[in-house]
Amino acid sequence: MDAPGFTEFAKAMIDYITDYLENIRDRRVLPTVEPGYIKPLLPDEAPQTPERWEDVMADIERVIMPGVTHWGSPKFHAYFPTAQSYPAIVADMLSGAIACIGFTWIASPACTELEVVMLDWLGKMIDLPAEFLACSGGKGGGVIQGTASEATLVALLGAKVKKIRQVKEEHPDWSDPQIIDKLVAYGSNLAHSSVERAGLLGGVKFRLLETDSKHRLRGETLQEAIRQDKEKGLIPFYAVSTLGTTSSCTFDRLDEMGVICNREEVWLHVDAAYAGSAFICPEFRYLMKGVELADSFNFNPHKWMLVNFDCSPMWLKDPTYVINAFNVDPLYLKHDMQGSAPDYRHWQIPLGRRFRSLKLWFVLRLYGVENLQKHIRNHVSQAHEFESLVSADSRFEIVEDVILGLVCFRLKGSNDLNENLLKRINGSGNIHLVPSKIKDTYFLRLAICSRYSESKDIQYSWQEIKLRANEILEEQSISK
Ligand SMILES: Cc1ncc(COP(=O)(O)O)c(C=O)c1O
């Protein structure tokens, strides 16, 4: 493709994207295709000669869109949101054009330096303690990981190296495998699956601890687990505090866990994947009380802060241990400026990394903090609007306090009844929800996800839920 061809194609694509997004509400949120749908729509082999871009363009509606779940639709209420916005899409275009791989400072100085500054901007926006920020002049700083799962694993690996070093000072004769065999990490039994997986990938024991009646991991539970494990000769080294659990958006008691972790020399990582974006609003910062006691903190602007996937900033008070954990130094990656700026290859699992900070820069500048705060507050108020509708219908119950943009609710009655309700809702394809289960209670989760979401969408979703509930309750009463 030559430059004039690119200009034409890109302009047509921008028109297509704008039309897609501005009218996304009108599409069926869930596709109706069956597995294997795409193969018959495509030739068996790649074309030998170039095709026309117009033909590729025409195939988006024919081949791709029938199999797309429209995550950006205001009728999409599943999981947690994934963000998108025009500034972030444009930034990704530029990142694609620059196409640098910023593994070291010299590999593209702007890629590293913009990231350092953006993580200071963002850290200040959520009022992270200065120790986490590069601009404080201390050891601390941030890095953009691809996902929260990577951040949890990276922190665990850093904590593992730190603890092995510490133990070796006391027991110089112990081998690494002997120490690793005794290491034990902690999280709540409502932590995201990626937390337990970090333990598996890191080759250490991971204990998932019980939460209290409000589904929060408490300090005393962690303390007791540590006591038991130390008694068995194990070595506690890492704990994850979840702020905004995936199941029902509850908040571990970070302040209590922090005191214990600091006393026991256990690395404390904060997983605020979804909820972290809300901390740009001062009124939600009470939920991160105790953050000054953590060693590492992570959230996903790609969930709720209008930055397209992937963008998962992570801050470390002392990145040395992570850097040491991953430091392999071949000659071809060395450069003269080593030590004067971060070489981010040491802060992450892959070597290669995209210019992700561009989309953060564009979004922060083109929205401004005020509009991002408005976005969060809009979603929270729509969640409360939905909560009021559910609460006013005596057939339903709310099963968790609504704090941010997630409402957990169910029909009063059995799990089977609620499973049927969800099947009906998703089967109709007009809106999309996913379920959750805590302590044997099955419930439905309605997350406010779309940047297009308005009160009328909440009303629509509630009508749809009521309609499906009416259907199954009627059928149930007929069959009795
Ligand atoms: C609390 C929590 N942690 C971690 C994750 C995983 O996020 P990622 O896909 O960025 O790894 C999620 C995903 O929803 C989450 O809710």
Side-chain angles (χ1 to χ4, degrees):
M1 174 170 270
D2 58 11
F6 168 65
T7 310
E8 264 189 280
F9 184 22
K11 281 184 180 158
M13 184 57 83
I14 301 239
D15 286 343
Y16 179 84
I17 289 171
T18 312
D19 183 61
Y20 168 67
L21 289 174
E22 295 305 315
N23 296 298
I24 198 166
R25 184 182 276 110
D26 302 335
R27 292 186 185 246
R28 192 184 199 275
V29 62
L30 268 178
T32 52
V33 294
E34 299 286 330
Y37 93 95
I38 219 166
K39 198 162 181 282
L41 300 178
L42 296 174
D44 288 339
E45 283 168 25
Q48 290 296 325
T49 53
E51 296 185 35
R52 289 167 1 109
W53 67 258
E54 291 87 345
D55 295 336
V56 176
M57 204 69 207
D59 275 352
I60 296 171
E61 282 299 322
R62 185 181 71 88
V63 179
I64 302 301
M65 285 300 165
V68 170
T69 301
H70 300 287
W71 283 63
S73 165
K75 297 171 180 171
F76 182 95
H77 298 296
Y79 317 108
F80 275 139
T82 191
Q84 52 78 11
S85 67
Y86 292 130
I89 293 170
V90 175
D92 265 348
M93 281 174 62
L94 179 60
S95 167
I98 295 173
C100 64
I101 307 292
F103 43 65
T104 55
W105 179 84
I106 196 67
S108 209
C111 182
T112 297
E113 296 203 9
L114 186 66
E115 189 160 328
V116 172
V117 176
M118 282 310 99
L119 287 224
D120 278 344
W121 280 19
L122 193 56
K124 286 181 190 170
M125 279 169 62
I126 60 170
D127 203 23
L128 270 189
E131 282 168 282
F132 284 105
L133 307 183
C135 61
S136 73
K139 287 182 181 171
V143 57
I144 304 179
Q145 305 287 356
T147 60
S149 314
E150 286 164 73
T152 303
L153 176 59
V154 164
L156 178 139
L157 296 175
K160 185 174 160 186
V161 165
K162 183 177 180 185
K163 189 54 83 179
I164 292 172
R165 290 226 174 130
Q166 257 175 21
V167 174
K168 280 203 162 165
E169 276 170 22
E170 257 181 71
H171 304 282
D173 52 324
W174 287 11
S175 68
D176 282 14
Q178 264 178 313
I179 300 169
I180 292 167
D181 196 44
K182 294 181 197 299
L183 294 179
V184 56
Y186 307 92
S188 100
N189 56 9
L190 294 174
H192 189 261
S193 57
S194 55
V195 172
E196 187 178 2
R197 199 149 175 261
L200 292 174
L201 292 166
V204 292
K205 295 175 195 55
F206 211 112
R207 277 187 67 183
L208 299 176
L209 307 175
E210 279 295 325
T211 51
D212 70 5
S213 61
K214 287 188 162 282
H215 307 135
R216 307 171 297 184
L217 179 52
R218 303 298 300 262
E220 59 194 4
T221 312
L222 177 63
Q223 179 68 82
E224 177 56 18
I226 290 176
R227 190 195 62 73
Q228 289 168 359
D229 287 339
K230 281 167 80 175
E231 223 171 69
K232 289 185 209 152
L234 298 178
I235 306 171
F237 80 105
Y238 181 63
V240 176
S241 181
T242 305
L243 300 185
T245 54
T246 322
S247 316
S248 65
C249 201
T250 52
F251 292 77
D252 288 342
R253 283 296 296 264
L254 174 59
D255 52 342
E256 295 177 0
M257 292 176 71
V259 171
I260 287 147
C261 288
N262 286 188
R263 191 166 61 219
E264 299 283 352
E265 295 186 84
V266 165
W267 179 305
L268 180 58
H269 176 69
V270 179
D271 173 6
Y274 162 70
S277 297
F279 303 151
I280 65 171
C281 302
E283 68 271 28
F284 297 121
R285 287 193 199 132
Y286 74 96
L287 297 164
M288 63 193 280
K289 186 173 162 219
V291 67
E292 68 284 356
L293 303 170
D295 295 279
S296 48
F297 181 93
N298 166 246
F299 83 99
N300 285 349
H302 72 229
K303 277 190 162 54
W304 204 15
M305 223 190 72
L306 299 176
V307 181
N308 281 60
F309 188 86
D310 52 348
C311 181
S312 187
M314 170 190 197
W315 290 265
L316 296 131
K317 271 189 188 157
D318 183 357
T320 327
Y321 299 101
V322 164
I323 291 169
N324 289 340
F326 303 140
N327 195 343
V328 179
D329 226 5
L331 187 60
Y332 50 82
L333 293 176
K334 287 185 192 293
H335 61 92
D336 292 344
M337 300 298 172
Q338 248 167 251
S340 328
D343 281 337
Y344 276 131
R345 70 189 169 99
H346 298 309
W347 298 51
Q348 60 173 23
I349 293 163
L351 174 69
R353 59 200 328 275
R354 298 188 306 115
F355 205 156
R356 295 187 186 108
S357 55
L358 278 175
K359 53 191 169 189
L360 207 43
W361 192 40
F362 280 28
V363 167
L364 296 183
R365 291 182 67 188
L366 294 173
Y367 276 90
V369 177
E370 281 180 14
N371 279 316
L372 295 171
Q373 289 172 329
K374 227 183 248 175
H375 170 67
I376 300 286
R377 289 175 181 142
N378 268 340
H379 276 196
V380 177
S381 94
Q382 285 172 36
H384 286 300
E385 181 180 346
F386 182 75
E387 178 191 19
S388 309
L389 293 168
V390 176
S391 304
D393 188 325
S394 61
R395 299 170 304 168
F396 285 87
E397 59 187 339
I398 296 284
V399 300
E400 194 76 81
D401 290 347
V402 178
I403 299 175
L404 297 178
L406 180 74
V407 184
C408 298
F409 68 104
R410 68 196 303 277
L411 270 171
K412 290 173 186 163
S414 69
N415 285 352
D416 282 353
L417 182 68
N418 283 283
E419 280 181 44
N420 283 341
L421 173 62
L422 186 70
K423 233 182 244 164
R424 263 315 149 94
I425 291 169
N426 286 333
S428 79
N430 294 326
I431 61 170
H432 184 32
L433 272 66
V434 293
S436 188
K437 197 183 219 180
I438 301 182
K439 295 186 179 137
D440 291 331
T441 301
Y442 180 99
F443 56 91
L444 281 63
R445 298 163 77 264
L446 183 135
I448 312 293
C449 292
S450 170
R451 76 180 163 92
Y452 293 102
S453 185
E454 298 174 24
S455 174
K456 69 175 182 192
D457 299 299
I458 303 307
Q459 299 293 334
Y460 175 89
S461 296
W462 174 236
Q463 290 309 322
E464 177 66 17
I465 292 164
K466 271 202 314 190
L467 178 69
R468 304 303 158 196
N470 291 345
E471 283 172 10
I472 61 163
L473 290 172
E474 257 171 50
E475 282 168 19
Q476 200 186 39
S477 68
I478 289 168
S479 72
K480 266 186 191 164

